[in-house]
Amino acid sequence: MYLVGFYSPKAKSGVTELSLSIYHWLKMNTALSAAFISYGTLEKEGLSEEVIHEFSKLSLPEQKRIVKNMKKEYDIIIYDASSQLSEGVLKLLPIVDRLFVVGEENTDFAVKLHQIIQFNKIFDKSVKSFIQHLKGNKTFIIRENKEGRVIGFNYTKKETNDIGQMVYRDYVTRYLEEKFIEKNEKIYRKIKLIPKETLFRGLYELGIDFEKALLFHEYVLLREALGQDYYEALENLFPLIINSSFEEILEKFQNEIKFIAKLKLS
């Protein structure tokens, strides 16, 4: 379900040792089913169905296929991405749900790497629907260490418990996010089935406040009048129903009308 990556562009930075220690910590201290993937070769760790190494020797489609199958089988996967920076690494890092950059000296690098991955995610052609975007909206977060000085970690053995608990908390948070997303998907599917002529009534019957439902209906019709496809407008505006108050939707609606009026006058 959940893939956590550990990475550093610096050789011998302790990424493998750190990621393995977190993998073992999770197996010893939680009831989660855990697996481990190593980009390189593991010299000491015994191999099993839940431990994969020499990941870099596989093609990108094969890597993604393996990860997809493992996320169905295990609660959490630790990915040791320790390797020199390469196009292959940059292509694979976006599949992780959380990425830790190891080493304080790489603060600037960590920030830039985060920006690049976020940029790729935003403009990824496969991310087209609201639901898909919501699922990827908070991925690739590079956490700060407990002192809050920099992004990343200077690994020492005493930090294993702290980082292990942080990874576990991230997993729990992601689990709750997935449940929230599942509920959103169910609501959205129901909304799509409502005839557009009676959208506000259908929203009200689903439990949305009448005024909010009526305003949302008007907003969708405005977008459609401007040439947007009805279902595209519905999908784009759907987050407002979930996340915004009536007042917030009204403000956005009025601002959009003002903007359109200015364009017509110019």
Side-chain angles (χ1 to χ4, degrees):
M1 173 190 172
Y2 189 66
L3 178 64
V4 181
F6 290 85
Y7 178 74
S8 174
K10 185 179 179 181
K12 299 181 179 179
S13 56
V15 176
T16 299
E17 187 179 3
L18 170 59
S19 52
L20 273 172
S21 72
I22 301 304
Y23 163 68
H24 288 301
W25 185 94
L26 289 167
K27 290 180 71 66
M28 290 179 61
N29 294 280
T30 75
L32 300 178
S33 58
F36 187 86
I37 295 174
S38 176
Y39 196 72
T41 302
L42 295 175
E43 297 178 357
K44 299 179 182 179
E45 194 74 12
L47 300 181
S48 66
E49 289 185 358
E50 65 182 42
V51 177
I52 295 177
H53 73 158
E54 296 185 340
F55 207 51
S56 60
K57 295 184 178 180
L58 303 175
S59 66
L60 185 61
E62 182 69 6
Q63 290 170 340
K64 290 185 175 181
R65 185 192 66 79
I66 289 174
V67 169
K68 182 178 180 180
N69 290 338
M70 291 183 78
K71 289 183 80 169
K72 293 178 182 177
E73 186 173 353
Y74 299 97
D75 295 319
I76 191 164
I77 305 163
I78 300 298
Y79 173 42
D80 164 27
S82 54
S83 172
Q84 291 183 341
L85 187 61
S86 66
E87 187 65 24
V89 170
L90 286 177
K91 284 182 178 178
L92 191 60
L93 286 180
I95 68 174
V96 304
D97 298 303
R98 291 290 185 265
L99 177 65
F100 293 89
V101 175
V102 181
E104 290 188 356
E105 71 279 6
N106 295 314
T107 308
D108 292 339
F109 171 85
V111 173
K112 185 57 64 178
L113 180 62
H114 181 223
Q115 291 173 341
I116 290 172
I117 293 175
Q118 286 286 52
F119 181 87
N120 289 343
K121 186 66 179 179
I122 291 170
F123 293 99
D124 184 349
K125 292 181 180 179
S126 66
V127 182
K128 293 181 179 178
S129 74
F130 161 72
I131 298 298
Q132 286 174 315
H133 182 67
L134 181 62
K135 285 182 176 178
N137 199 30
K138 294 184 179 178
T139 58
F140 319 130
I141 294 175
I142 302 173
R143 303 292 191 183
E144 294 186 2
N145 66 4
K146 60 184 179 181
E147 290 84 8
R149 294 193 306 272
V150 294
I151 293 177
F153 294 96
N154 251 349
Y155 170 61
T156 61
K157 281 185 168 52
K158 68 179 182 180
E159 287 182 322
T160 297
N161 184 63
D162 292 336
I163 301 172
Q165 290 192 42
M166 185 181 296
V167 169
Y168 180 68
R169 287 196 301 270
D170 273 357
Y171 166 82
V172 172
T173 301
R174 178 56 178 263
Y175 179 81
L176 295 176
E177 286 175 353
E178 288 288 337
K179 293 302 176 185
F180 179 68
I181 289 168
E182 287 174 11
K183 290 183 179 293
N184 281 348
E185 288 177 324
K186 290 178 181 178
I187 293 171
Y188 183 61
R189 284 197 295 268
K190 290 180 180 179
I191 291 175
K192 286 179 68 177
L193 295 175
I194 301 171
K196 69 176 179 179
E197 296 79 9
T198 57
L199 177 61
F200 72 93
R201 187 176 298 131
L203 291 172
Y204 178 67
E205 290 173 355
L206 285 176
I208 305 298
D209 291 340
F210 183 79
E211 287 185 342
K212 188 175 180 180
L214 189 59
L215 176 60
F216 182 81
H217 190 173
E218 290 298 320
Y219 208 158
V220 173
L221 292 179
L222 172 66
R223 289 288 183 87
E224 191 178 19
L226 293 171
Q228 191 171 21
D229 175 76
Y230 171 76
Y231 290 105
E232 184 180 351
L234 196 67
E235 182 178 305
N236 290 343
L237 295 173
F238 174 65
L240 296 178
I241 283 286
I242 303 299
N243 300 318
S244 303
S245 65
F246 171 82
E247 290 75 18
E248 290 170 332
I249 299 174
L250 179 60
E251 183 180 0
K252 288 178 68 69
F253 180 69
Q254 291 174 334
N255 288 339
E256 199 157 316
I257 290 176
K258 290 176 183 177
F259 179 73
I260 294 167
K262 287 182 180 180
L263 287 178
K264 288 184 176 180
L265 291 173
S266 60

